[in-house]
Amino acid sequence: MSSSAPSDTSKEAVRPSNFLRQIIEADLASGTHAQRHWGGSPGDAAHHAAGVPDPAKVRTRFPPEPNGYLHVGHAKSICLNFGLARDYGGVCHLRFDDTNPEKEDQEYVDSIIDAVRWLGFDWAQIGERPGVAAPYQASDYFDFMYRAAEYLVETGNAYVDEQTPEEMKVNRGDFGKPGVNSPFRDRSPAENLARLREMKDGKLPDGAAVLRAKIDMASPNINLRDPAIYRIKHAEHHNTGDKWCIYPMYTFAHPIEDALEHITHSICTLEFEDQRPFYDWLLDRLREGGLIAAPQPRQYEFSRLNLTYVITSKRKLKHLVDNGIVSGWDDPRMPTVVGLRRRGYTPEAIQLFCERIGVTKDYSWIDYSTLEGCLREDLENKAHRGMAVLDPVKLVLTNWDEVMGAGHLEPCSLPALPHPPEGVEAPVRHFTIGKEVWIEREDFEEVPPKGYKRLFPGNKVRLKGGYVIECTGCEKDADGRVTQVLATVVPDTKSGTPGADSVKVKAAITWVGVADGVPAEVRLYDRLFTDAQPDAGGKDFLALLNPDSLQVVTAYVEPSLAQARPDDKFQFERFGYFVADRKDHAPGKPVFNRVTGLKDSWGK
Ligand code: ATP
Ligand code: MG
């Protein structure tokens, strides 16, 4: 149960307000929830009444259905719900919405727990040791849900309907047409109760009957036209086994889950706005009957996250996985939490992103570059710098042996962090320069285009952190492809020595020594789709896959990068942010993923 981030990792101490914060602040000011008691665990009215004044000022919840991996949209909901609880002295419950018997999977449950923790949140009860309490499971409330169903039947608020599904559909009407009452609608409570018990006892086959709330078949809100609340399903449940052959509908189960957990603010996405009247109707009935504690939970809706170039439907993401279009749920191109993590995103960057995009009721799209910007902001002063050559060609310093000594390797160093935190000495990276170094193929032009400042015959540049060199030419193969660039080293120009400024150059290029550079697999990821809204307007998302979303190159990296541990993040100078792959990177076999470039290059 419950609770909030152990530490406040977001950069902004003062968070921008939003309509949900205003609602909570108003409730706290007027004491809406001040009188609540908490029974120490979820339960009915009596259970909570026997408890203590609730130590949590507010209770929110994050209620995923364990039928897939969480994605960036869920991350928004997690940061929102756990963040509000953290900021207002409350707790946030992690609750598995596992009322549907068919689709649960322990793999998904485990991955959701990991994702919430990794994002920086916990659900330990206030006053308990953090992390020990198990998340809640909605299926633990089946007994109460059934009791609530019998209560509704007894009070004339629900009936067993034995129309065929087709009849029910036709008789529900539509937006312009009121519904028609079921012929079973006026059965007596006693008759209904007997029939409900037969449903529960397995006497009826799947689909033979449903329990419906008795509200108003003419309501302009179709969700109030006697919604189904229990259906027959002879299926095993992962938690309750074969105890039940009837299962509650989501719209019935969800308000009850909130009520038993004494949730104060039940925050969901806008699709559920039309369900709110039923949410309130149901909890009003149960509170009147003394079954649930007062005050009952209230539902509030916000607009879901739409992120450009990204799909956030679990079903469609599963399709990508099942059909091998990506390597798995944690493919670094996936918008899943595990995918973002493997790609190199940090929890801090994702939290910052969620703060920054805010919470509204407006339909809008967030540009993917916003997420990347948050990552850059987080890593700018954290990620150690390093040089890597992604498209290597060898550069030979033809006078090296003569002026520096045959086989000589000169030690060099550069700061690993240009702006270390105050009071901390800048970490330093060490590497060597010798007769041969790797440079980027694009850093040499035999015939330079106008304005080109890097290597061409007769031009001088600095090898960053090393020496000034002067290009003398190149060697080529039979196809005219450059196989080696030739240059001479200018002695006494080593970076950091008094002679460093004696020769002025217009460019410094990145490089890696042939002697101590280490070959590395570098995975250059790009967006998975070519269309900014691959999932909108009935488009076929599979036709919009980016064929160039992954390019793998063999690069050379400086020794400090080769020593990376999995998950370590770096800024490869001039190229952007990279992470040592958490699955495939190993000592002696470095594998890096590109998280994002240094600047916003989207749409360019
Ligand atoms: P999907 O449709 O992909 O299966 P879902 O909404 O059915 O997603 P749930 O497991 O039911 O997935 O969602 C858990 C919580 O996450 C819900 O409260 C839901 O509102 C929220 N959520 C899901 N997608 C988004 C999104 N894109 N933006 C914000 N919140 C989201
Ligand atoms: Mg759902």
Side-chain angles (χ1 to χ4, degrees):
M1 120 148 356
S2 43
S3 174
S4 32
S7 63
D8 179 356
T9 41
S10 161
K11 289 195 177 159
E12 279 119 331
V14 180
R15 297 194 166 76
S17 190
N18 58 52
F19 75 99
L20 291 171
R21 289 181 175 273
Q22 286 161 13
I23 289 167
I24 292 176
E25 284 162 17
D27 281 340
L28 289 175
S30 64
T32 313
H33 307 287
Q35 304 305 318
R36 291 172 315 119
H37 277 59
W38 172 247
S41 58
D44 63 10
H47 171 81
H48 286 307
V52 298
D54 194 344
K57 293 210 178 80
V58 295
R59 289 183 184 270
T60 57
R61 85 285 173 274
F62 174 66
E65 203 180 328
N67 62 353
Y69 281 69
L70 299 183
H71 53 59
V72 62
H74 296 114
K76 174 175 176 178
S77 181
I78 292 170
C79 290
L80 176 62
N81 280 295
F82 283 90
L84 289 171
R86 170 195 62 204
D87 294 346
Y88 292 104
V91 292
C92 178
H93 300 195
L94 174 60
R95 176 205 308 152
F96 290 109
D97 217 319
D98 62 349
T99 51
N100 184 347
E102 271 162 357
K103 289 185 281 184
E104 323 301 341
D105 195 322
Q106 192 58 38
E107 178 194 353
Y108 298 139
V109 169
D110 294 342
S111 77
I112 290 169
I113 290 175
D114 280 354
V116 174
R117 287 224 172 98
W118 179 73
L119 282 169
F121 299 104
D122 202 350
W123 46 91
Q125 169 75 299
I126 283 184
E128 276 183 3
R129 254 187 320 137
V132 293
Y136 292 139
Q137 307 191 75
S139 56
D140 285 340
Y141 313 145
F142 279 159
D143 286 337
F144 181 91
M145 289 176 191
Y146 181 74
R147 185 176 138 211
E150 286 209 348
Y151 170 78
L152 292 179
V153 168
E154 285 162 0
T155 51
N157 284 303
Y159 62 98
V160 173
D161 193 357
E162 294 177 49
Q163 296 183 94
T164 65
E166 295 72 36
E167 286 167 338
M168 261 182 252
K169 191 161 183 276
V170 170
N171 289 338
R172 190 175 299 127
D174 54 37
F175 284 108
K177 201 168 91 202
V180 175
N181 283 356
S182 163
F184 299 92
R185 199 173 195 264
D186 293 322
R187 275 175 166 173
S188 70
E191 248 180 305
N192 278 314
L193 192 58
R195 206 63 179 140
L196 174 61
R197 288 182 178 166
E198 283 172 20
M199 282 171 65
K200 177 181 72 116
D201 292 339
K203 306 241 166 73
L204 299 179
D206 287 6
V210 295
L211 184 69
R212 296 177 76 173
K214 191 170 178 179
I215 308 178
D216 178 6
M217 287 303 291
S219 172
N221 182 341
I222 292 182
N223 297 304
L224 291 180
R225 293 185 186 173
D226 293 5
I229 59 182
Y230 257 100
R231 68 199 155 131
I232 303 170
K233 195 159 197 161
H234 290 265
E236 289 247 337
H237 188 279
H238 75 102
N239 183 22
T240 54
D242 59 5
K243 177 172 178 190
W244 298 96
C245 62
I246 58 171
Y247 289 95
M249 305 298 286
Y250 179 81
T251 48
F252 175 74
H254 195 83
I256 292 179
E257 295 157 21
D258 285 347
L260 294 179
E261 293 179 18
H262 225 338
I263 299 301
T264 56
H265 301 83
S266 176
I267 299 163
C268 60
T269 44
L270 273 172
E271 308 91 88
F272 294 96
E273 196 168 22
D274 290 346
Q275 292 289 351
R276 183 164 16 101
F278 177 66
Y279 185 102
D280 291 340
W281 179 91
L282 175 61
L283 295 187
D284 285 344
R285 299 292 82 73
L286 300 180
R287 186 182 36 75
E288 284 161 13
L291 274 75
I292 60 164
Q296 70 211 56
R298 294 284 168 204
Q299 173 180 307
Y300 303 95
E301 307 87 17
F302 69 102
S303 45
R304 60 190 293 121
L305 169 65
N306 295 310
L307 190 59
T308 58
Y309 296 100
V310 154
I311 274 180
T312 52
S313 150
K314 273 188 241 164
R315 189 176 56 78
K316 289 178 181 165
L317 293 175
K318 190 165 188 302
H319 183 97
L320 297 176
V321 173
D322 290 347
N323 290 278
I325 295 165
V326 295
S327 65
W329 287 101
D330 66 349
D331 186 299
R333 292 165 294 182
M334 289 283 272
T336 50
V337 174
V338 282
L340 291 168
R341 178 179 186 180
R342 191 166 169 203
R343 177 70 169 263
Y345 278 89
T346 58
E348 292 83 357
I350 296 173
Q351 287 193 21
L352 180 62
F353 171 71
C354 293
E355 292 284 347
R356 191 156 289 169
I357 60 178
V359 188
T360 68
K361 281 176 163 294
D362 307 329
Y363 176 84
S364 68
W365 282 79
I366 304 294
D367 207 273
Y368 197 84
S369 61
T370 309
L371 179 59
E372 295 185 317
C374 292
L375 192 268
R376 287 189 203 106
E377 211 169 303
D378 181 41
L379 290 188
E380 163 70 24
N381 292 325
K382 277 193 206 164
H384 283 198
R385 305 316 194 244
M387 287 193 286
V389 176
L390 300 188
D391 182 15
V393 66
K394 197 178 273 184
L395 173 112
V396 180
L397 297 169
T398 50
N399 65 340
W400 181 272
D401 288 350
E402 192 186 317
V403 299
M404 303 294 295
H408 177 71
L409 290 176
E410 178 68 19
C412 305
S413 64
L414 278 172
L417 271 183
H419 309 289
E422 223 175 326
V424 175
E425 206 182 320
V428 178
R429 29 194 264 254
H430 299 278
F431 44 93
T432 63
I433 185 167
K435 184 183 168 85
E436 296 181 331
V437 302
W438 299 109
I439 61 165
E440 291 296 332
R441 187 166 281 281
E442 65 168 25
D443 284 352
F444 170 76
E445 292 284 354
E446 198 175 11
V447 182
K450 198 165 175 296
Y452 191 81
K453 297 194 181 69
R454 289 166 277 167
L455 288 168
F456 56 88
N459 195 37
K460 291 195 186 78
V461 302
R462 171 172 296 283
L463 293 175
K464 202 168 175 191
Y467 288 86
V468 172
I469 60 169
E470 177 172 355
C471 184
T472 54
C474 67
E475 284 176 10
K476 292 190 272 191
D477 63 15
D479 300 327
R481 186 175 155 87
V482 174
T483 52
Q484 274 190 354
V485 177
L486 305 174
T488 53
V489 61
V490 183
D492 301 325
T493 57
K494 188 175 155 189
S495 296
T497 65
D501 291 330
S502 61
V503 182
K504 295 279 175 232
V505 292
K506 292 211 174 75
I509 62 171
T510 52
W511 58 281
V512 168
V514 167
D516 64 359
V518 177
E521 178 176 329
V522 176
R523 299 170 180 171
L524 302 169
Y525 291 104
D526 202 345
R527 58 188 113 167
L528 190 51
F529 295 98
T530 52
D531 190 288
Q533 300 180 3
D535 199 16
K539 279 181 239 173
D540 175 10
F541 70 103
L542 294 174
L544 301 170
L545 285 162
N546 176 8
D548 301 318
S549 62
L550 171 58
Q551 193 199 339
V552 182
V553 299
T554 301
Y556 287 97
V557 299
E558 65 168 76
S560 68
L561 296 179
Q563 286 154 18
R565 290 156 307 167
D567 271 337
D568 281 353
K569 282 127 196 122
F570 298 94
Q571 188 190 106
F572 286 11
E573 296 196 35
R574 97 193 242 182
F575 289 116
Y577 290 100
F578 289 72
V579 64
D581 188 80
R582 60 195 319 264
K583 258 192 181 162
D584 299 336
H585 175 89
K589 187 186 160 288
V591 179
F592 291 96
N593 303 328
R594 178 169 66 195
V595 199
T596 177
L598 283 181
K599 279 192 244 122
D600 176 14
S601 58
W602 283 77
K604 282 178 200 153

